[in-house]
Amino acid sequence: MSLLSWNCRGLGNPRIVQFLKEIVFQKKPNVVFLCETICKTDKINIVKRALGFEGSFVVEARGHSGGLAMLWKKEEEGKLISFSTNHIDLELNMDGYPTFRATGFYGEPQRHLRANTWRAIRQLSGESSLPWCLLGDLNNTLNHSDKRGGRPYPNWLLTGFQDVVSECHLIDMEIQGHPFTWEKGKGTDQWVEVRLDRALVSYDWQALFPSAILENLEVTVSDHCPIWLNLAKSKPVQVKKRFRYENAWSREPMCRQIVQARWENGLGDSLQVKLEASLWLQAGDQNTKYFHACASSRKRNNQIVRLKNADGEWVDWDNGLSEVMSNYYSNLFTSSCSNWQAVIDCVATRVSSDQNRDLLLAVEEEEVRRALFQMHPDKSHRPRWFQSPGSSETLGYSRQRCHKSGTTFLFLW
Protein backbone atom coordinates (compact mmCIF):
# COMPACT_ATOMS: atom_id res chain seq x y z
CA MET A 1 0.00 0.00 0.00
CA SER A 2 1.28 3.48 -0.79
CA LEU A 3 0.28 7.14 -1.06
CA LEU A 4 1.41 9.69 -3.64
CA SER A 5 1.39 13.47 -3.19
CA TRP A 6 2.21 16.05 -5.86
CA ASN A 7 1.82 19.77 -6.44
CA CYS A 8 1.04 19.37 -10.13
CA ARG A 9 0.62 23.07 -11.00
CA GLY A 10 -2.40 22.53 -13.25
CA LEU A 11 -4.08 19.43 -14.67
CA GLY A 12 -5.08 21.35 -17.79
CA ASN A 13 -1.62 20.67 -19.23
CA PRO A 14 -1.56 17.37 -21.20
CA ARG A 15 2.10 16.81 -20.26
CA ILE A 16 1.17 17.02 -16.59
CA VAL A 17 -1.59 14.42 -17.02
CA GLN A 18 0.67 12.10 -19.03
CA PHE A 19 3.41 12.34 -16.40
CA LEU A 20 0.87 11.57 -13.65
CA LYS A 21 -0.32 8.49 -15.55
CA GLU A 22 3.24 7.21 -15.82
CA ILE A 23 3.97 7.77 -12.14
CA VAL A 24 0.74 5.99 -11.11
CA PHE A 25 1.50 3.11 -13.48
CA GLN A 26 5.00 2.81 -12.07
CA LYS A 27 4.28 3.16 -8.34
CA LYS A 28 0.67 1.92 -8.21
CA PRO A 29 -0.39 4.10 -5.23
CA ASN A 30 -3.67 3.38 -3.45
CA VAL A 31 -4.21 7.08 -2.70
CA VAL A 32 -3.18 10.14 -4.72
CA PHE A 33 -3.30 13.70 -3.37
CA LEU A 34 -2.97 16.57 -5.85
CA CYS A 35 -2.76 20.25 -5.03
CA GLU A 36 -2.87 23.33 -7.27
CA THR A 37 -4.97 21.40 -9.77
CA ILE A 38 -6.34 24.70 -11.19
CA CYS A 39 -9.38 22.97 -12.66
CA LYS A 40 -12.97 21.96 -12.03
CA THR A 41 -14.49 18.69 -10.85
CA ASP A 42 -15.32 17.41 -14.35
CA LYS A 43 -11.65 17.53 -15.36
CA ILE A 44 -10.63 15.68 -12.17
CA ASN A 45 -13.21 12.98 -12.93
CA ILE A 46 -11.71 12.45 -16.39
CA VAL A 47 -8.24 12.07 -14.88
CA LYS A 48 -9.61 9.78 -12.14
CA ARG A 49 -11.09 7.38 -14.69
CA ALA A 50 -7.92 7.45 -16.78
CA LEU A 51 -5.89 6.46 -13.69
CA GLY A 52 -8.28 3.65 -12.74
CA PHE A 53 -9.52 5.13 -9.42
CA GLU A 54 -13.08 4.86 -8.11
CA GLY A 55 -13.18 7.21 -5.11
CA SER A 56 -12.47 10.92 -5.19
CA PHE A 57 -13.13 14.22 -3.50
CA VAL A 58 -12.42 17.57 -5.14
CA VAL A 59 -12.01 21.11 -3.85
CA GLU A 60 -12.34 23.21 -6.97
CA ALA A 61 -9.87 25.91 -7.90
CA ARG A 62 -10.64 29.55 -7.27
CA GLY A 63 -10.07 31.24 -10.60
CA HIS A 64 -6.58 30.45 -11.84
CA SER A 65 -5.13 29.24 -8.56
CA GLY A 66 -5.61 26.54 -5.95
CA GLY A 67 -7.63 23.38 -6.24
CA LEU A 68 -7.24 20.06 -4.39
CA ALA A 69 -8.09 16.47 -5.26
CA MET A 70 -7.87 13.23 -3.31
CA LEU A 71 -8.24 9.99 -5.29
CA TRP A 72 -8.39 6.45 -3.91
CA LYS A 73 -8.67 3.04 -5.55
CA LYS A 74 -11.98 1.65 -4.26
CA GLU A 75 -14.96 3.80 -3.37
CA GLU A 76 -15.73 1.96 -0.13
CA GLU A 77 -12.16 2.25 1.21
CA GLY A 78 -12.27 6.01 1.82
CA LYS A 79 -14.55 8.15 3.99
CA LEU A 80 -14.39 11.96 4.01
CA ILE A 81 -13.86 13.48 7.46
CA SER A 82 -13.45 17.17 6.61
CA PHE A 83 -12.15 19.54 3.95
CA SER A 84 -11.29 23.17 3.27
CA THR A 85 -9.54 25.15 0.55
CA ASN A 86 -6.24 23.90 2.01
CA HIS A 87 -6.90 20.30 3.02
CA ILE A 88 -8.82 17.06 2.43
CA ASP A 89 -9.03 14.74 5.44
CA LEU A 90 -9.83 11.11 4.68
CA GLU A 91 -10.42 8.00 6.78
CA LEU A 92 -8.91 4.98 5.04
CA ASN A 93 -10.03 1.43 5.70
CA MET A 94 -8.30 -0.89 3.23
CA ASP A 95 -8.36 -4.66 3.19
CA GLY A 96 -5.55 -6.11 5.28
CA TYR A 97 -4.52 -2.79 6.84
CA PRO A 98 -5.58 -0.98 10.02
CA THR A 99 -7.79 2.10 9.72
CA PHE A 100 -5.99 5.46 9.74
CA ARG A 101 -6.35 9.09 8.67
CA ALA A 102 -4.67 10.47 5.56
CA THR A 103 -4.79 14.26 5.24
CA GLY A 104 -3.67 15.93 2.04
CA PHE A 105 -2.55 19.46 2.91
CA TYR A 106 -1.55 22.55 0.92
CA GLY A 107 0.07 25.22 3.08
CA GLU A 108 -0.24 28.97 2.65
CA PRO A 109 2.50 30.06 0.20
CA GLN A 110 2.67 33.65 1.50
CA ARG A 111 4.82 34.14 4.58
CA HIS A 112 2.51 36.56 6.36
CA LEU A 113 -0.27 33.92 6.19
CA ARG A 114 1.77 30.98 7.49
CA ALA A 115 0.06 31.25 10.87
CA ASN A 116 -3.12 30.08 9.12
CA THR A 117 -1.36 26.85 8.18
CA TRP A 118 -0.13 26.29 11.72
CA ARG A 119 -3.58 26.97 13.14
CA ALA A 120 -5.21 24.54 10.69
CA ILE A 121 -2.79 21.71 11.57
CA ARG A 122 -3.45 22.20 15.28
CA GLN A 123 -7.19 22.06 14.64
CA LEU A 124 -6.93 18.91 12.52
CA SER A 125 -4.83 17.24 15.17
CA GLY A 126 -7.69 17.34 17.67
CA GLU A 127 -10.48 16.19 15.32
CA SER A 128 -9.80 12.44 15.49
CA SER A 129 -7.93 9.89 17.57
CA LEU A 130 -7.09 7.67 14.59
CA PRO A 131 -3.44 7.14 13.62
CA TRP A 132 -2.65 10.15 11.45
CA CYS A 133 -0.60 10.84 8.36
CA LEU A 134 -0.47 14.39 6.99
CA LEU A 135 1.30 14.90 3.68
CA GLY A 136 1.49 17.38 0.83
CA ASP A 137 3.03 20.70 -0.11
CA LEU A 138 3.10 22.27 3.35
CA ASN A 139 5.08 25.34 2.21
CA ASN A 140 6.95 25.18 5.54
CA THR A 141 10.47 24.21 6.57
CA LEU A 142 11.77 22.94 9.89
CA ASN A 143 15.39 24.10 9.74
CA HIS A 144 17.91 25.95 7.58
CA SER A 145 19.17 22.71 6.01
CA ASP A 146 15.78 22.38 4.24
CA LYS A 147 16.89 25.17 1.88
CA ARG A 148 19.84 25.62 -0.47
CA GLY A 149 20.51 28.92 -2.20
CA GLY A 150 18.92 32.31 -1.72
CA ARG A 151 18.50 34.11 1.57
CA PRO A 152 18.07 32.10 4.79
CA TYR A 153 14.57 31.83 6.22
CA PRO A 154 13.86 34.09 9.20
CA ASN A 155 13.90 32.19 12.48
CA TRP A 156 10.27 33.00 13.31
CA LEU A 157 9.14 30.94 10.30
CA LEU A 158 11.19 27.94 11.42
CA THR A 159 10.24 28.08 15.09
CA GLY A 160 6.55 28.59 14.27
CA PHE A 161 6.42 25.36 12.30
CA GLN A 162 8.64 23.52 14.78
CA ASP A 163 6.22 24.41 17.58
CA VAL A 164 3.27 23.00 15.61
CA VAL A 165 5.03 19.70 14.92
CA SER A 166 6.01 19.39 18.59
CA GLU A 167 2.62 20.35 20.05
CA CYS A 168 0.74 17.95 17.74
CA HIS A 169 3.19 15.12 18.56
CA LEU A 170 4.07 14.59 14.92
CA ILE A 171 7.16 13.03 13.35
CA ASP A 172 8.73 14.52 10.23
CA MET A 173 9.52 11.50 8.05
CA GLU A 174 13.00 11.40 6.61
CA ILE A 175 12.94 11.65 2.83
CA GLN A 176 15.01 9.33 0.69
CA GLY A 177 16.63 10.53 -2.50
CA HIS A 178 17.21 14.20 -3.33
CA PRO A 179 16.67 16.26 -0.15
CA PHE A 180 14.78 19.11 -1.86
CA THR A 181 11.35 18.95 -3.52
CA TRP A 182 10.96 22.43 -5.07
CA GLU A 183 13.26 24.62 -7.11
CA LYS A 184 13.46 27.76 -9.19
CA GLY A 185 16.16 29.42 -11.26
CA LYS A 186 17.92 26.15 -12.08
CA GLY A 187 21.22 26.67 -13.87
CA THR A 188 21.49 30.34 -12.83
CA ASP A 189 23.12 32.22 -9.99
CA GLN A 190 19.67 32.51 -8.38
CA TRP A 191 19.07 28.72 -8.21
CA VAL A 192 17.10 27.94 -5.05
CA GLU A 193 16.03 24.51 -3.78
CA VAL A 194 13.74 23.92 -0.80
CA ARG A 195 12.07 20.92 0.83
CA LEU A 196 8.43 22.07 0.92
CA ASP A 197 6.74 18.70 0.37
CA ARG A 198 6.82 16.33 3.33
CA ALA A 199 4.92 13.76 5.40
CA LEU A 200 4.17 14.25 9.10
CA VAL A 201 2.93 11.20 11.02
CA SER A 202 1.72 10.54 14.54
CA TYR A 203 3.52 8.15 16.88
CA ASP A 204 0.74 5.56 16.72
CA TRP A 205 0.77 5.73 12.90
CA GLN A 206 4.50 5.07 12.90
CA ALA A 207 3.94 2.10 15.23
CA LEU A 208 1.44 0.64 12.73
CA PHE A 209 3.81 1.07 9.78
CA PRO A 210 7.35 0.88 11.19
CA SER A 211 8.90 -0.01 7.81
CA ALA A 212 7.23 2.83 5.88
CA ILE A 213 9.54 4.94 3.72
CA LEU A 214 9.12 8.35 2.07
CA GLU A 215 10.78 8.82 -1.31
CA ASN A 216 11.42 11.89 -3.43
CA LEU A 217 10.67 10.79 -6.99
CA GLU A 218 12.90 13.66 -8.18
CA VAL A 219 12.01 13.83 -11.91
CA THR A 220 9.03 16.06 -12.62
CA VAL A 221 7.34 18.37 -15.13
CA SER A 222 6.30 20.73 -12.35
CA ASP A 223 8.56 22.82 -10.14
CA HIS A 224 7.58 20.41 -7.34
CA CYS A 225 8.73 16.79 -7.18
CA PRO A 226 6.18 14.07 -6.34
CA ILE A 227 6.68 12.34 -3.00
CA TRP A 228 5.76 8.68 -2.52
CA LEU A 229 4.93 7.15 0.87
CA ASN A 230 5.32 3.37 0.77
CA LEU A 231 3.73 1.76 3.84
CA ALA A 232 4.88 -1.81 3.30
CA LYS A 233 8.43 -1.92 2.08
CA SER A 234 9.18 -5.07 0.12
CA LYS A 235 12.51 -6.82 0.20
CA PRO A 236 14.27 -5.91 -3.05
CA VAL A 237 16.00 -8.58 -5.04
CA GLN A 238 19.53 -7.45 -5.86
CA VAL A 239 20.44 -8.39 -9.40
CA LYS A 240 23.59 -7.14 -11.09
CA LYS A 241 22.92 -6.23 -14.70
CA ARG A 242 24.93 -4.66 -17.45
CA PHE A 243 23.74 -1.28 -18.66
CA ARG A 244 21.65 -1.36 -21.85
CA TYR A 245 19.85 1.52 -23.49
CA GLU A 246 16.12 0.85 -23.86
CA ASN A 247 14.15 2.25 -26.78
CA ALA A 248 11.16 2.90 -24.50
CA TRP A 249 13.06 5.82 -22.94
CA SER A 250 12.80 7.83 -26.15
CA ARG A 251 9.01 7.80 -25.77
CA GLU A 252 9.08 9.27 -22.24
CA PRO A 253 7.99 12.95 -22.19
CA MET A 254 10.88 13.97 -19.92
CA CYS A 255 13.64 12.15 -21.81
CA ARG A 256 14.25 14.79 -24.46
CA GLN A 257 13.93 17.62 -21.94
CA ILE A 258 16.55 16.16 -19.57
CA VAL A 259 19.05 15.32 -22.31
CA GLN A 260 18.62 18.72 -23.96
CA ALA A 261 19.07 20.55 -20.66
CA ARG A 262 22.33 18.70 -19.92
CA TRP A 263 23.59 19.22 -23.46
CA GLU A 264 22.92 22.97 -23.39
CA ASN A 265 24.46 23.43 -19.93
CA GLY A 266 27.80 22.21 -21.28
CA LEU A 267 28.06 24.28 -24.46
CA GLY A 268 31.81 24.66 -24.10
CA ASP A 269 32.48 21.01 -23.26
CA SER A 270 33.74 18.39 -25.64
CA LEU A 271 31.52 15.57 -26.89
CA GLN A 272 33.24 13.09 -24.57
CA VAL A 273 32.64 15.29 -21.52
CA LYS A 274 28.97 15.71 -22.41
CA LEU A 275 28.50 11.98 -22.82
CA GLU A 276 30.20 11.23 -19.52
CA ALA A 277 27.91 13.74 -17.78
CA SER A 278 24.67 12.41 -19.33
CA LEU A 279 22.32 10.99 -16.77
CA TRP A 280 22.11 7.38 -17.91
CA LEU A 281 25.84 7.10 -18.71
CA GLN A 282 26.85 8.80 -15.50
CA ALA A 283 24.64 6.70 -13.23
CA GLY A 284 25.21 3.41 -15.01
CA ASP A 285 22.58 0.77 -14.35
CA GLN A 286 20.74 3.04 -11.90
CA ASN A 287 20.22 5.72 -14.56
CA THR A 288 17.77 8.51 -13.67
CA LYS A 289 15.71 6.07 -11.59
CA TYR A 290 12.62 7.30 -13.42
CA PHE A 291 13.30 6.20 -17.01
CA HIS A 292 14.88 2.92 -16.00
CA ALA A 293 12.01 2.19 -13.61
CA CYS A 294 9.45 2.95 -16.34
CA ALA A 295 11.17 0.64 -18.80
CA SER A 296 11.52 -2.10 -16.16
CA SER A 297 8.35 -1.31 -14.23
CA ARG A 298 6.96 -4.83 -14.55
CA LYS A 299 9.77 -6.26 -12.47
CA ARG A 300 9.61 -3.50 -9.85
CA ASN A 301 5.83 -3.39 -9.53
CA ASN A 302 5.35 -7.16 -9.36
CA GLN A 303 7.39 -7.61 -6.20
CA ILE A 304 5.25 -9.56 -3.74
CA VAL A 305 5.01 -8.18 -0.21
CA ARG A 306 2.48 -10.56 1.36
CA LEU A 307 0.00 -13.31 0.50
CA LYS A 308 -2.74 -15.29 2.23
CA ASN A 309 -1.88 -18.84 3.25
CA ALA A 310 -4.20 -21.86 3.09
CA ASP A 311 -5.90 -20.73 6.33
CA GLY A 312 -6.70 -17.29 4.93
CA GLU A 313 -4.08 -15.51 7.07
CA TRP A 314 -1.74 -12.82 5.73
CA VAL A 315 1.95 -13.77 5.79
CA ASP A 316 5.02 -11.81 4.69
CA TRP A 317 8.67 -12.61 4.06
CA ASP A 318 9.38 -12.77 7.78
CA ASN A 319 6.73 -15.33 8.72
CA GLY A 320 6.32 -17.91 5.97
CA LEU A 321 5.66 -16.20 2.63
CA SER A 322 8.35 -18.24 0.86
CA GLU A 323 6.75 -21.49 2.07
CA VAL A 324 3.31 -20.39 0.83
CA MET A 325 4.72 -19.71 -2.63
CA SER A 326 6.71 -22.94 -2.73
CA ASN A 327 3.74 -25.07 -1.63
CA TYR A 328 1.46 -23.41 -4.19
CA TYR A 329 3.67 -24.25 -7.15
CA SER A 330 4.53 -27.69 -5.81
CA ASN A 331 0.83 -28.53 -5.72
CA LEU A 332 0.19 -26.84 -9.05
CA PHE A 333 2.78 -28.86 -10.94
CA THR A 334 2.27 -32.18 -9.19
CA SER A 335 1.42 -34.77 -11.81
CA SER A 336 -1.97 -36.45 -11.76
CA CYS A 337 -3.50 -39.43 -13.52
CA SER A 338 -4.63 -37.36 -16.51
CA ASN A 339 -4.72 -38.98 -19.94
CA TRP A 340 -2.62 -36.33 -21.69
CA GLN A 341 -2.03 -38.50 -24.75
CA ALA A 342 -5.69 -38.14 -25.69
CA VAL A 343 -5.22 -34.35 -25.70
CA ILE A 344 -2.06 -34.58 -27.85
CA ASP A 345 -3.86 -36.78 -30.37
CA CYS A 346 -6.47 -34.04 -30.83
CA VAL A 347 -3.84 -31.54 -32.03
CA ALA A 348 -3.75 -31.40 -35.81
CA THR A 349 -0.40 -31.84 -37.55
CA ARG A 350 0.75 -28.48 -38.91
CA VAL A 351 3.81 -29.61 -40.91
CA SER A 352 2.89 -31.71 -43.94
CA SER A 353 5.11 -34.32 -45.52
CA ASP A 354 5.95 -31.98 -48.40
CA GLN A 355 6.86 -29.18 -45.99
CA ASN A 356 9.01 -31.54 -43.96
CA ARG A 357 10.83 -32.63 -47.13
CA ASP A 358 11.54 -28.99 -48.02
CA LEU A 359 12.87 -28.32 -44.54
CA LEU A 360 15.31 -31.20 -44.87
CA LEU A 361 16.85 -29.85 -48.07
CA ALA A 362 20.42 -28.53 -47.92
CA VAL A 363 20.64 -24.88 -46.95
CA GLU A 364 21.78 -22.61 -49.77
CA GLU A 365 23.95 -19.55 -49.24
CA GLU A 366 21.37 -17.21 -50.75
CA GLU A 367 18.73 -18.43 -48.29
CA VAL A 368 21.04 -17.66 -45.40
CA ARG A 369 21.81 -14.20 -46.73
CA ARG A 370 18.12 -13.40 -47.28
CA ALA A 371 17.18 -14.56 -43.76
CA LEU A 372 20.01 -12.56 -42.24
CA PHE A 373 19.03 -9.26 -43.83
CA GLN A 374 15.36 -9.69 -42.95
CA MET A 375 16.21 -9.31 -39.26
CA HIS A 376 15.29 -6.11 -37.44
CA PRO A 377 18.48 -4.13 -36.61
CA ASP A 378 17.57 -4.05 -32.90
CA LYS A 379 17.38 -7.84 -32.58
CA SER A 380 20.23 -9.73 -30.97
CA HIS A 381 20.83 -13.36 -30.02
CA ARG A 382 23.45 -15.53 -28.45
CA PRO A 383 24.08 -17.90 -31.38
CA ARG A 384 26.52 -20.61 -32.14
CA TRP A 385 28.62 -19.54 -35.11
CA PHE A 386 29.80 -21.11 -38.33
CA GLN A 387 31.46 -19.83 -41.48
CA SER A 388 29.51 -20.29 -44.71
CA PRO A 389 31.44 -22.34 -47.29
CA GLY A 390 33.09 -20.14 -49.89
CA SER A 391 32.35 -16.97 -47.86
CA SER A 392 34.19 -14.92 -45.28
CA GLU A 393 30.94 -14.06 -43.47
CA THR A 394 30.32 -15.65 -40.07
CA LEU A 395 26.72 -16.70 -39.46
CA GLY A 396 24.76 -17.90 -36.45
CA TYR A 397 22.59 -20.96 -36.29
CA SER A 398 20.40 -22.91 -33.90
CA ARG A 399 19.36 -26.50 -34.60
CA GLN A 400 16.21 -27.76 -32.84
CA ARG A 401 14.49 -31.14 -33.05
CA CYS A 402 10.75 -31.80 -32.86
CA HIS A 403 10.38 -34.65 -30.36
CA LYS A 404 7.03 -35.76 -31.74
CA SER A 405 7.84 -36.01 -35.44
CA GLY A 406 11.59 -36.43 -35.18
CA THR A 407 12.07 -33.53 -37.63
CA THR A 408 15.17 -31.35 -37.21
CA PHE A 409 14.80 -27.60 -37.81
CA LEU A 410 17.74 -25.34 -38.61
CA PHE A 411 17.34 -21.65 -37.75
CA LEU A 412 19.95 -19.31 -39.22
CA TRP A 413 20.65 -15.58 -38.93
Side-chain angles (χ1 to χ4, degrees):
M1 179 180 178
S2 63
L3 295 83
L4 178 74
S5 172
W6 186 34
N7 184 329
C8 60
R9 298 301 299 273
L11 286 177
N13 186 339
R15 292 177 64 244
I16 295 287
V17 177
Q18 180 60 33
F19 179 81
L20 179 60
K21 289 180 180 178
E22 291 164 355
I23 289 292
V24 170
F25 174 78
Q26 175 192 344
K27 296 299 183 181
K28 290 182 169 49
N30 302 81
V31 179
V32 174
F33 172 66
L34 303 170
C35 53
E36 288 202 81
T37 57
I38 316 177
C39 64
K40 301 296 184 180
T41 302
D42 54 351
K43 176 63 178 179
I44 301 293
N45 288 334
I46 294 174
V47 173
K48 177 185 73 172
R49 290 191 292 269
L51 297 178
F53 287 79
E54 296 179 2
S56 67
F57 187 82
V58 178
V59 177
E60 293 190 344
R62 296 166 294 176
H64 297 286
S65 64
L68 308 176
M70 186 82 90
L71 314 176
W72 57 96
K73 273 293 181 182
K74 297 181 180 179
E75 181 74 38
E76 66 274 10
E77 292 179 339
K79 176 183 176 182
L80 182 69
I81 299 176
S82 65
F83 71 94
S84 71
T85 55
N86 292 91
H87 85 279
I88 298 176
D89 193 13
L90 202 66
E91 178 182 318
L92 294 175
N93 188 1
M94 299 186 176
D95 184 32
Y97 291 89
T99 303
F100 68 95
R101 292 171 66 196
T103 304
F105 199 94
Y106 177 56
E108 291 286 352
Q110 301 182 45
R111 291 187 178 182
H112 68 280
L113 297 177
R114 295 285 169 81
N116 295 340
T117 295
W118 306 336
R119 188 181 308 109
I121 294 176
R122 288 188 175 96
Q123 182 177 349
L124 287 169
S125 176
E127 289 184 354
S128 174
S129 59
L130 287 173
W132 188 28
C133 169
L134 183 145
L135 77 166
D137 175 13
L138 272 63
N139 272 316
N140 276 263
T141 56
L142 284 169
N143 49 64
H144 290 293
S145 63
D146 284 344
K147 183 180 182 182
R148 181 167 66 187
R151 296 180 179 179
Y153 279 117
N155 288 330
W156 68 270
L157 278 178
L158 303 180
T159 56
F161 189 43
Q162 291 169 358
D163 291 343
V164 171
V165 173
S166 176
E167 292 173 19
C168 297
H169 305 289
L170 296 174
I171 302 169
D172 179 43
M173 291 195 65
E174 180 181 357
I175 194 166
Q176 297 191 7
H178 192 63
F180 308 108
T181 63
W182 175 85
E183 68 176 6
K184 70 173 182 179
K186 184 176 182 178
T188 69
D189 295 337
Q190 288 76 40
W191 187 9
V192 177
E193 294 181 285
V194 189
R195 183 189 173 190
L196 298 178
D197 304 82
R198 61 182 69 241
L200 303 176
V201 300
S202 61
Y203 288 95
D204 49 356
W205 189 96
Q206 187 184 53
L208 289 177
F209 306 103
S211 60
I213 58 171
L214 179 67
E215 291 186 19
N216 182 355
L217 300 186
E218 302 183 29
V219 180
T220 181
V221 292
S222 167
D223 55 359
H224 282 263
C225 297
I227 57 174
W228 182 57
L229 181 57
N230 187 8
L231 307 190
K233 182 180 179 182
S234 60
K235 292 186 176 180
V237 178
Q238 299 296 333
V239 179
K240 291 185 178 180
K241 297 172 57 182
R242 291 190 301 172
F243 168 76
R244 292 181 177 87
Y245 178 80
E246 301 196 41
N247 287 340
W249 293 346
S250 61
R251 297 193 295 269
E252 301 297 339
M254 287 295 296
C255 181
R256 180 180 180 86
Q257 179 179 336
I258 290 178
V259 175
Q260 182 177 356
R262 181 60 193 91
W263 212 257
E264 293 176 349
N265 287 343
L267 291 177
D269 297 336
S270 65
L271 176 62
Q272 182 65 26
V273 172
K274 289 181 178 180
L275 289 177
E276 290 176 352
S278 292
L279 288 178
W280 50 66
L281 294 179
Q282 178 184 15
D285 222 15
Q286 298 176 349
N287 47 66
T288 72
K289 293 186 179 179
Y290 173 68
F291 295 126
H292 191 71
C294 284
S296 307
S297 60
R298 182 178 302 173
K299 172 185 173 182
R300 182 186 300 272
N301 292 331
N302 286 351
Q303 289 184 354
I304 297 175
V305 179
R306 57 183 190 147
L307 293 172
K308 285 185 177 180
N309 59 19
D311 299 326
E313 300 173 347
W314 288 102
V315 295
D316 55 25
W317 290 106
D318 296 325
N319 60 1
L321 178 56
S322 57
E323 288 78 8
V324 171
M325 299 172 68
S326 176
N327 293 337
Y328 172 80
Y329 285 103
S330 296
N331 296 331
L332 180 65
F333 293 105
T334 299
S335 61
S336 61
C337 299
S338 303
N339 184 8
W340 55 267
Q341 187 60 48
V343 177
I344 296 297
D345 293 338
C346 294
V347 179
T349 302
R350 302 301 300 271
V351 179
S352 66
S353 299
D354 292 338
Q355 291 172 329
N356 190 54
R357 184 173 58 254
D358 291 339
L359 289 171
L360 292 175
L361 293 175
V363 179
E364 298 180 359
E365 183 176 343
E366 181 57 33
E367 291 180 296
V368 176
R369 184 183 298 276
R370 184 166 59 252
L372 178 65
F373 286 98
Q374 285 177 347
M375 284 181 56
H376 190 278
D378 280 353
K379 299 300 181 183
S380 62
H381 305 273
R382 292 185 177 178
R384 290 169 287 179
W385 302 97
F386 77 100
Q387 192 166 16
S388 177
S391 172
S392 61
E393 296 179 357
T394 301
L395 304 174
Y397 77 97
S398 174
R399 189 181 297 273
Q400 299 184 23
R401 183 176 180 85
C402 176
H403 294 285
K404 181 180 179 182
S405 65
T407 303
T408 299
F409 296 89
L410 183 66
F411 299 91
L412 303 125
W413 54 89

